[in-house]
Amino acid sequence: MVGAGISTPSGIPDFRSPGSGLYSNLLQYNIPYPEAIFELEFFFHNPKPFFTLAKQLYPGNYRPNITHYFFRLLHDKGLLLRLYTQNIDGLERVSGIPVSKLVEAHGTFASATCTVCRRSFPEKDWWADVMMDRVPCCPVCAGIVKPDIVFFGEPLPERFLLHVLDFPMADLLLILGTSLEVEPFASLSEAVGASVPRLLINRDLVGTFAWRPRSRDVVQLGDVVHSVERLVELLGWTKELQDLVQRETRKLDGQDR
Ligand code: CNA
């Protein structure tokens, strides 16, 4: 389970912190409060701030860091049952983890849906509009085309239901870079069996690790990159991870050219 904290080392700030790059960019639009950007009522009143954020998070503006590649390595080794993410930056996909291994619990910019006729559109159909600061509209009914990001009050993607099968099967739960404050995601941390070890890597103690710890919990507080490097070292995978990061970085450099 991961959250915004795994992407801060990639340069993506918390949306809520005033003064951060993403938030400051939105001030020009007079949004009443940061969360409004993910509220349908405000979106229909003024969709521009949301699309400004979408443009900012465009694949290529940011790159995965060693944390994302650690999960990719787990996948390559056949050890990753699933990666549940709250992030909407798409960096798990960029790191090469197949979509089948992901549950993007708060949605994705990879697809979009017309808010009126509910037709679905792949990103190639509407990204050009977003990049040119235009609000994308449905070619059939002229409704606003909204990327499939989960707004407040909207249901989570159907794939989230996979947790019912996944969590009882897990024999280790890794939780990185999340405040475990947003439900229903946060409660997944309790969905593994009572004897299953849970490892929390985060800057601070969060969720049930603080108020209902289990006997097999392990907590590593501090910076996520430093902690992942330490874990990888203990596993004896340092060279393998470095090689993977180098290979993938070269690929991304090639795509940028
Ligand atoms: P959050 O509530 O902002 O919590 C982040 C947690 O990560 C906090 O406990 C921080 O202390 C911790 N943290 C931050 N940086 C580091 C670091 N370098 N090393 C270790 N720990 C760190 O974020 P959550 O994901 O828990 O909250 C859920 C919201 C935030 C979701 O709806 C997301 O969509 C949304 N969000 C996503 C992104 C993104 O996609 N990258 C960015 C900002 C917010």
Side-chain angles (χ1 to χ4, degrees):
M1 297 171 60
V2 297
I6 73 156
S7 290
T8 55
S10 294
I12 303 177
D14 189 328
F15 295 153
R16 294 188 193 102
S17 312
S20 78
L22 292 178
Y23 182 69
S24 305
N25 265 341
L26 302 175
L27 288 182
Q28 55 178 311
Y29 294 106
N30 290 328
I31 55 170
Y33 45 92
E35 286 80 6
I37 197 171
F38 298 117
E39 286 176 2
L40 285 173
E41 198 183 332
F42 182 75
F43 178 78
F44 288 121
H45 163 70
N46 180 10
K48 288 226 155 127
F50 175 75
F51 284 108
T52 303
L53 177 74
K55 185 177 174 182
Q56 190 113 21
L57 288 179
Y58 181 73
N61 280 353
Y62 298 98
R63 285 188 173 189
N65 62 68
I66 203 160
T67 315
H68 300 91
Y69 288 122
F70 167 62
F71 284 102
R72 162 71 190 276
L73 189 60
L74 284 178
H75 165 65
D76 289 352
K77 288 177 175 292
L79 294 171
L80 182 69
L81 176 59
R82 204 87 64 187
L83 177 55
Y84 283 74
T85 181
Q86 296 166 96
N87 294 344
I88 54 173
D89 53 41
L91 291 181
E92 298 87 0
R93 292 184 187 220
V94 180
S95 75
I97 301 168
V99 176
S100 62
K101 284 283 167 175
L102 296 176
V103 170
E104 295 163 310
H106 294 166
T108 171
F109 281 108
S111 59
T113 305
C114 172
T115 50
V116 177
C117 71
R118 308 306 300 169
R119 277 184 179 80
S120 191
F121 296 96
E123 53 187 327
K124 67 172 177 46
D125 289 5
W126 47 274
W127 262 118
D129 281 333
V130 174
M131 295 320 272
M132 286 189 281
D133 300 317
R134 288 196 304 248
V135 172
C137 287
C138 176
V140 182
C141 77
I144 298 178
V145 171
K146 174 181 159 292
D148 293 335
I149 298 298
V150 179
F151 277 29
F152 293 114
E154 287 191 307
L156 266 50
E158 267 175 31
R159 281 182 67 74
F160 186 73
L161 287 174
L162 282 172
H163 77 82
V164 175
L165 298 175
D166 284 345
F167 278 70
M169 271 166 60
D171 49 22
L172 171 66
L173 178 60
L174 304 171
I175 304 177
L176 286 83
T178 170
S179 60
L180 287 182
E181 274 180 13
V182 180
E183 293 292 357
F185 192 92
S187 289
L188 294 181
S189 64
E190 296 203 82
V192 287
S195 62
V196 172
R198 306 184 305 171
L199 168 60
L200 173 72
I201 294 181
N202 205 42
R203 203 165 264 155
D204 29 49
L205 197 58
V206 292
T208 55
F209 287 86
W211 46 268
R212 200 189 306 144
R214 296 179 175 190
S215 60
R216 300 196 67 191
D217 282 353
V218 177
V219 174
Q220 174 70 36
L221 298 184
D223 178 62
V224 71
V225 165
H226 181 259
S227 302
V228 166
E229 281 172 349
R230 175 87 185 104
L231 175 61
V232 167
E233 190 187 317
L234 289 169
L235 290 162
W237 298 349
T238 302
K239 174 82 173 66
E240 241 175 305
L241 185 58
Q242 281 169 351
D243 289 349
L244 173 64
V245 172
Q246 261 176 23
R247 245 185 356 257
E248 291 300 313
T249 304
R250 271 199 299 272
K251 249 193 242 171
L252 292 175
D253 286 346
Q255 283 167 16
D256 282 352
R257 262 181 233 125

